Amino acid sequence: MSGARTSDIPVSRTRPGARPGTRPEVSRTRPRTRTRGAGLTLAAWLAGLLFFLPIAWMALTSFHSEQDAATNPPSVAASLTLDGYREFFGAGGGASPWPSLINSFVASTASTLLVLLLALPAAYALSIRPVKKWTDVLFFFLSTKMLPVVAGLLPIYLFAKNTDFLDNVWLLVILYTSMNLPIAVWMMQSFLSEVPVAIIEAAQIDGARLPTILTRVVAPIALPGIAATSLICFIFSWNELLFARVLTGVVAQTAPVFLTGFITSQGLFLAKVCAASLIISLPVLAAGFAAQDKLVQGLSLGAVK
C-alpha cells in the first residue's frame, strides 16, 4: 500500500459534519422542475385546444349542408359542400358582401392610422418628455372607457342625423378613432418608456426636430409596440357592431352588420352563418399571423424591469 498513489484512494463525498456511513443527499430540484415544466406545457396545450375547438367546429360546420348542420346531435361525418360559401357570395341571388367588406376595411384601416398618428406624440409627451401630472392624464384617458357604449349611442345618433352623417363610413372612422385612442395611448406610453433617452438627446444635438425624432428615432425602436397597438385597434374596429348597426344603413354597412342579415326567425342558416363568420375573420387572422413576431415582442415589452 505504500506504493499506491494518492489519486487511487477513493475520497468520501459526504457533507461536512455528516455521520460516517451515511449516503450523500441527492438534489431533487431538477426532477421537480421538469415535472412542473411538463405540467405547464400540458396546461398550455389544453388551453390552446380549448380556444381552437370552437373555431375548428365552425369551419367544419361551414362545409356542411343546412340540414346536416341543424341536426341534433351534430353530424360530424356528414358530406361536405360549398353551398354556404356560395350563398354568402350571392350565388343564390342574395346581396354581395364585397361593399360591406370594403367598408370595414376602410373604417378599420383609416381609424387605426389616425390612432397611431395621434397616440405616438401623446405617448411621447407622457413617457419620454413627461408633462406635469402625467398620471392624472393617463387616468383621464382610462376614465373615458368607463362610460357604457349604449349611454352615448343616442347623442351620437342625433348628432349624426343633424349633420347628415348617417350611413357614412367616415363617421365610423371618427368614432373608432375616438374609441381606440385611449387604449393606444396607454399601450404606447408603456412602450415608449423603454426607449433610451440618450438616443433622443443625441438626435437633438445633431439638430433633429420633433417630427424627425418621432419618425426616424422613436418609431423604429418602438416598432414592436406600434405593431401590437395597431393590431389591437384594427381588431376592435373590425369587430365593432353596435355603432355600425345603428348609424349605418346600406351605403356604409360593415361586415359584422352584413353578417347579422343572415340570421332570421324562419329557415335554416347555421352553415351559411359559419361560412360568413369564417370569411369575415380571415382579415384579422391574416393580420395577426403577419405581425405575430412583432405582436409578441410588443406585448412583452416593458414586462421585465
Side-chain angles (χ1 to χ4, degrees):
M1 295 299 292
S2 60
R5 293 179 299 174
T6 307
S7 58
D8 295 336
I9 301 176
V11 180
S12 176
R13 299 292 184 180
T14 57
R15 294 183 294 108
R19 292 180 300 174
T22 57
R23 300 179 63 181
E25 296 182 359
V26 180
S27 176
R28 298 184 179 180
T29 305
R30 184 171 298 177
R32 290 180 180 177
T33 304
R34 292 178 179 177
T35 304
R36 185 180 303 174
L40 292 177
T41 303
L42 180 60
W45 275 103
L46 291 177
L49 290 176
L50 186 63
F51 281 99
F52 176 74
L53 282 178
I55 300 176
W57 186 259
M58 180 181 68
L60 180 62
T61 306
S62 66
F63 290 101
H64 288 168
S65 63
E66 294 292 354
Q67 291 76 16
D68 294 332
T71 57
N72 190 13
S75 179
V76 180
S79 58
L80 303 181
T81 179
L82 295 175
D83 292 341
Y85 293 91
R86 294 191 185 98
E87 293 183 11
F88 172 74
F89 285 105
S96 175
W98 291 112
S100 301
L101 292 174
I102 293 175
N103 288 334
S104 290
F105 181 78
V106 171
S108 303
T109 305
S111 63
T112 301
L113 293 177
L114 286 176
V115 165
L116 294 180
L117 186 64
L118 298 174
L120 187 59
Y124 177 85
L126 294 172
S127 58
I128 300 177
R129 291 290 182 266
V131 297
K132 294 182 178 180
K133 297 183 178 180
W134 62 274
T135 54
D136 296 338
V137 176
L138 286 177
F139 179 76
F140 170 76
F141 278 113
L142 183 62
S143 64
T144 59
K145 303 297 296 182
M146 298 179 183
L147 178 69
V149 179
V150 181
L153 187 59
L154 180 59
I156 294 176
Y157 176 82
L158 295 177
F159 171 80
K161 181 180 179 181
N162 295 330
T163 55
D164 295 331
F165 256 101
L166 286 177
D167 203 10
N168 193 323
V169 69
W170 295 109
L171 175 63
L172 297 181
V173 172
I174 297 174
L175 289 177
Y176 295 165
T177 302
S178 60
M179 291 168 57
N180 294 328
L181 186 59
I183 301 176
V185 172
W186 264 83
M187 294 183 63
M188 293 296 297
Q189 190 274 336
S190 62
F191 297 146
L192 295 188
S193 61
E194 301 296 325
V195 177
V197 182
I199 299 178
I200 300 176
E201 294 176 350
Q204 291 176 343
I205 293 175
D206 292 338
R209 296 182 177 273
L210 181 59
T212 305
I213 294 175
L214 290 177
T215 56
R216 296 188 179 183
V217 178
V218 177
I221 298 177
L223 186 59
I226 295 176
T229 304
S230 60
L231 182 59
I232 290 177
C233 293
F234 182 83
I235 292 174
F236 286 170
S237 301
W238 185 272
N239 294 335
E240 200 280 325
L241 175 63
L242 182 59
F243 281 115
R245 181 71 176 176
V246 175
L247 301 177
T248 63
V250 179
V251 178
Q253 186 184 61
T254 59
V257 178
F258 182 81
L259 176 62
T260 59
F262 294 121
I263 303 175
T264 60
S265 58
Q266 298 177 352
L268 302 177
F269 52 83
L270 184 58
K272 184 166 52 178
V273 169
C274 289
S277 302
L278 187 63
I279 293 177
I280 292 175
S281 302
L282 287 180
V284 176
L285 295 176
F289 182 79
Q292 59 179 343
D293 54 341
K294 299 297 182 182
L295 179 63
V296 173
Q297 296 176 20
L299 292 179
S300 61
L301 185 64
V304 179
K305 294 292 184 181

